[in-house]
Amino acid sequence: MPLGFGLEAHPAGSDDDGDSDSGGGAASLSSNDGGSSGPGLGRRRRKRRCRLVESVEVSVTSSDQSLNLETRESYSLEVAESAAMIQANSVYGALRGMETLAQLARRRELRCAPAAVGAGSGDGGGGEPGGSGEAGAGEGGGCTAEGRLVPPEAVWPADEEEDEGDWAAAADVDRHRRKKKRHSTVLLIEETSIYDAPRFRYRGLLLDTARHFLPVSVIKTHLDAMTMVKMNCLHWHITDDESFPWQLEEIPELSERGAFAPEAVYTAADIKEVVEYARFRGIRVIPELDTPGHTQSWGKSFPSLLTECFNTNGESTGRLGPINPARNESYGFMWRLLREAARHFPDPYLHLGGDEVDHECWRSNPEVQEFMSAKGFGSNFAKLEGYWMEQLVHLAATAGKGPIVWQEAFDQGDHLPAYARVQVWKWWKDSAQQERAAAVEAAASAGSGGDKGAAALSRSGEGQGWQGLSAAQRRMMEAEQAAAQQAEQQQRRQGASCDPGRGCAATAEDEAWKDELATITKAGYDAILSAPWYLNLGCYATQDWQKYYAADPHDFKGSMEQRDHVLGGEACAWGEFIDAVNSVNRVWPRAAAVAERLWSPADVTDVQDAAVRLADVRCRMLSRGVAAQSMGPGFCPGELTTRM
């Protein structure tokens, strides 16, 4: 039977007081409520007849199929008479329009007048086999859905399903008595006209495959869910301290010793499969190779790549710290790694990490200390970290990729190029953020704040150094630096779990990321927000999605030009307690609240309305095999067939 949409017609002079979906804004979660009861409900009304949508026409004006930040995802959708028409500038805009069309269609049970019984059997109009005729459309009555006459060719016939049970243990039970009857159904969609476009260009989801390995099938399920809510960026945190699951062609030793198990790896074919699967759904794949910290799994194959730690007596502790930036071999190693990443991931950007670098091991290592002295860094390890990131950015550019970095690379004053993008993840403030904010404000006051390069902003103390200072001045600066280091260590002890994967308790969390966005954009950099959207921190049996829904990336003090630098945001699902078993269930449908915030207009903020849409998107996900968790009491038909 051909797919049919029951289309509500509005003939001239009809007594129509039902709802119609204007489609304005077309939020990524579309409400599929039925009609309403208006004035004159008690009057006798003639039934309106549905029409069959016989075709879906798609028109795309550009043949460009590249996926990047400039890809246009806008579309227009019109459902009228016997056709649905989608117009878009790109094939990806057409995909968004098709998803909206699927959202607007809703399945409804049919009810048939007694005169229609038996009329639909045989070849007469889509009734059920066997002459039950529930879906028949006889002349004497016909079938209706929501009070509308349904053309026979739009009917999906009923079927029968057997109850689940142990038939071997109940062989004497009459199987016919254990069958359930399903009603015939029809897909309904209102006449509508929509123009729709995303509010933000970057709408991402982070998946962590280093803390727990996620099979390709699970990643693809996430991609299916992402396209349902119009997300367009997969941030693949592919390696970390715990494992290195990427099977590199140039450096296979990394996964041979760094993966959890020989089978827990991603081959070149796996990478290609994920990238292509995502592209066909309008989703970019951006890998993250986090350095110089978060690289303990690398040391299992190449211990000399990492920094050897020493105690106060100058003896090796046997512990390894971050990558050793004092060795030229480290940069050659990273060039091989970035070069291969550039070959396998076509996106113009790579995420280079740069967060949570523990300076204690660097501070204890004589080789690193000698390197810092030769470079004139003194004992400022933020300068050493900045030097590493600057070299890494240069290597990525040589490989043809632009950098995305965690906010520490900006806060510590690293010389980032104008095209770098900074991801905001901290919901608390530290001394580096405050110092950087003061430096940006000073530069702006001096007239350089509008410099797009923003690299002219120097690190704290850089350019002046300690040359020419008296011994007393040096002692004072050393004391200040020691106090800053002590404060940093105290902060680490108080918030030992303050990292992108775990988070920590913090005060004024909203103000922290808002101030950070203001500082980054004032310096002229593009920003991506993720601080308020850590899905792995949510608790069972809470409505934490409402907090996600309330966070707006433009809600900070800044000019319109600054807000234009906010590319969008990203929901993060860090993997300490998320694995292949609960990954999909943990993320969805909660991430859909973030997706709506990033797609829909700023004035779409009603939580109660959003709750209806969230419940609907969960049901649609179940119907497509995505095991989204329940957000409260209710029922979806897909619950009976979808399994984790």
Side-chain angles (χ1 to χ4, degrees):
M1 168 173 291
L3 174 64
F5 292 95
L7 172 65
E8 179 184 3
H10 297 278
S14 67
D15 185 9
D16 181 14
D17 59 1
D19 282 351
S20 64
D21 191 344
S22 65
S28 59
L29 315 180
S30 177
S31 178
N32 292 338
D33 295 339
S36 65
S37 57
L41 183 62
R43 288 185 299 175
R44 195 180 185 93
R45 297 170 51 194
R46 70 181 175 87
K47 293 177 179 176
R48 296 165 294 172
R49 184 171 181 82
C50 296
R51 298 179 184 175
L52 184 69
V53 175
E54 298 176 343
S55 64
V56 177
E57 301 174 8
V58 179
S59 174
V60 176
T61 59
S62 173
S63 60
D64 184 9
Q65 296 186 19
S66 60
L67 260 178
N68 52 56
L69 203 64
E70 306 308 319
T71 298
R72 299 184 66 178
E73 299 175 272
S74 60
Y75 66 91
S76 62
L77 167 65
E78 185 172 354
V79 182
E81 296 300 329
S82 61
M85 291 157 285
I86 297 173
Q87 293 184 327
N89 295 106
S90 72
V91 65
Y92 304 111
L95 282 173
R96 308 303 179 221
M98 291 293 289
E99 189 58 50
T100 295
L101 182 64
Q103 291 173 6
L104 294 175
R106 59 193 189 280
R107 188 178 293 276
R108 292 293 182 263
E109 291 184 358
L110 287 175
R111 300 298 177 186
C112 300
V117 174
S121 59
D123 60 354
E128 297 172 22
S132 68
E134 180 171 352
E139 295 295 330
C143 295
T144 63
E146 298 184 358
R148 301 152 191 171
L149 290 171
V150 176
E153 55 268 40
V155 173
W156 288 69
D159 58 2
E160 292 180 330
E161 69 171 2
E162 295 178 355
D163 282 351
E164 295 180 358
D166 186 355
W167 287 102
D172 58 336
V173 178
D174 182 2
R175 293 187 59 157
H176 294 289
R177 296 182 60 186
R178 297 178 61 88
K179 289 183 178 179
K180 295 179 181 178
K181 190 68 170 293
R182 287 180 175 176
H183 292 285
S184 298
T185 58
V186 65
L187 291 177
L188 292 179
I189 184 170
E190 306 287 351
E191 288 183 330
T192 188
S193 180
I194 295 171
Y195 173 78
D196 197 14
R199 183 180 172 209
F200 292 100
R201 294 176 290 168
Y202 187 106
R203 307 177 305 282
L205 172 68
L206 179 147
L207 292 180
D208 176 4
T209 61
R211 274 61 179 253
H212 281 101
F213 179 80
L214 299 180
V216 169
S217 60
V218 173
I219 297 175
K220 291 165 75 171
T221 300
H222 280 290
L223 292 169
D224 289 337
M226 289 174 68
T227 196
M228 290 181 68
V229 296
K230 303 185 176 74
M231 282 182 159
N232 65 354
C233 294
L234 173 64
H235 175 174
W236 192 347
H237 187 83
I238 197 168
T239 73
D240 211 289
D241 286 331
E242 291 77 7
S243 76
F244 195 106
W246 182 10
Q247 191 177 77
L248 294 169
E249 296 172 343
E250 287 197 35
I251 321 175
E253 299 90 340
L254 280 170
S255 61
E256 288 174 359
R257 297 186 180 181
F260 286 127
E263 64 272 21
V265 296
Y266 302 105
T267 64
D270 293 331
I271 299 291
K272 182 178 180 180
E273 182 179 356
V274 169
V275 169
E276 280 297 287
Y277 195 86
R279 186 178 69 86
F280 276 98
R281 285 151 183 78
I283 299 171
R284 302 160 55 191
V285 179
I286 302 173
E288 179 183 353
L289 299 169
D290 196 358
T291 67
H294 292 278
T295 51
Q296 290 298 297
S297 63
W298 306 25
K300 295 177 181 179
S301 303
F302 298 94
S304 62
L305 180 67
L306 305 185
T307 304
E308 186 178 5
C309 303
F310 293 82
N311 60 25
T312 54
N313 296 324
E315 302 168 337
S316 175
T317 65
R319 189 174 70 88
L320 297 176
I323 290 178
N324 189 339
R327 295 180 176 176
N328 289 331
E329 295 86 346
S330 299
Y331 302 97
F333 186 94
M334 290 306 302
W335 166 242
R336 296 170 65 194
L337 184 57
L338 293 175
R339 181 175 58 189
E340 183 157 346
R343 284 203 310 267
H344 290 290
F345 292 93
D347 195 86
Y349 275 78
L350 291 175
H351 202 302
L352 302 180
D355 66 309
E356 297 185 306
V357 183
D358 186 357
H359 296 165
E360 290 301 317
C361 194
W362 282 350
R363 186 175 285 112
S364 72
N365 185 286
E367 182 182 12
V368 172
Q369 292 175 357
E370 183 180 351
F371 178 80
M372 291 182 65
S373 177
K375 290 291 183 181
F377 295 159
S379 59
N380 189 337
F381 288 90
K383 291 184 179 181
L384 177 61
E385 185 178 339
Y387 176 84
W388 168 265
M389 292 303 297
E390 289 163 21
Q391 303 308 308
L392 209 61
V393 167
H394 176 72
L395 291 174
T398 304
K401 301 295 184 180
I404 302 175
V405 295
W406 294 111
Q407 69 182 74
E408 285 94 326
F410 170 82
D411 292 338
Q412 294 180 152
D414 298 354
H415 283 238
L416 300 172
Y419 53 85
R421 281 145 188 186
V422 182
Q423 187 164 356
V424 177
W425 72 272
K426 290 185 178 180
W427 50 91
W428 74 95
K429 290 185 179 181
D430 57 26
S431 58
Q433 289 171 271
Q434 295 168 350
E435 291 173 6
R436 183 60 161 157
V440 170
E441 187 64 34
S445 300
S448 61
D451 181 10
K452 174 63 180 174
L457 297 170
S458 63
R459 291 189 285 272
S460 178
E462 187 176 40
Q464 177 183 358
W466 288 6
Q467 291 78 11
L469 297 178
S470 66
Q473 289 174 318
R474 290 191 182 190
R475 284 195 299 270
M476 183 175 66
M477 293 187 69
E478 288 173 348
E480 290 175 350
Q481 193 169 71
Q485 292 171 0
Q486 184 177 4
E488 180 181 353
Q489 293 171 4
Q490 177 68 15
Q491 185 179 36
R492 285 185 178 274
R493 286 193 294 269
Q494 292 176 344
S497 60
C498 292
D499 66 69
R502 296 177 185 269
C504 69
T507 60
E509 57 186 36
D510 288 339
E511 295 305 317
W513 64 255
K514 291 176 183 179
D515 290 347
E516 182 74 359
L517 281 179
T519 302
I520 292 169
T521 56
K522 193 167 190 176
Y525 288 110
D526 290 339
I528 299 167
L529 177 65
S530 61
W533 296 319
Y534 270 43
L535 304 178
N536 53 298
L537 298 182
C539 299
Y540 171 74
T542 65
Q543 298 297 319
D544 54 358
W545 69 268
Q546 296 181 7
K547 182 178 179 181
Y548 307 152
Y549 192 71
D552 191 315
H554 278 173
D555 186 16
F556 66 92
K557 295 178 181 178
S559 65
M560 289 300 297
E561 182 181 0
Q562 286 179 253
R563 287 180 171 83
D564 287 342
H565 279 298
V566 180
L567 303 179
E570 183 176 284
C572 296
W574 294 97
E576 282 84 354
F577 303 100
I578 296 178
D579 61 10
V581 176
N582 68 347
S583 176
V584 173
N585 189 261
R586 188 71 178 136
V587 172
W588 304 103
R590 293 155 68 236
V594 182
E596 174 158 312
R597 175 54 50 236
L598 296 173
W599 179 281
S600 297
D603 58 359
V604 179
T605 57
D606 190 285
V607 174
Q608 292 183 343
D609 288 346
V612 175
R613 293 192 292 277
L614 193 65
D616 174 73
V617 79
R618 190 229 171 195
C619 287
R620 288 191 291 107
M621 285 183 172
L622 291 178
S623 72
R624 298 192 193 180
V626 178
Q629 75 172 32
S630 170
M631 303 306 294
F635 174 74
C636 298
E639 295 175 19
L640 304 179
T641 56
T642 304
R643 296 289 181 266
M644 288 182 60

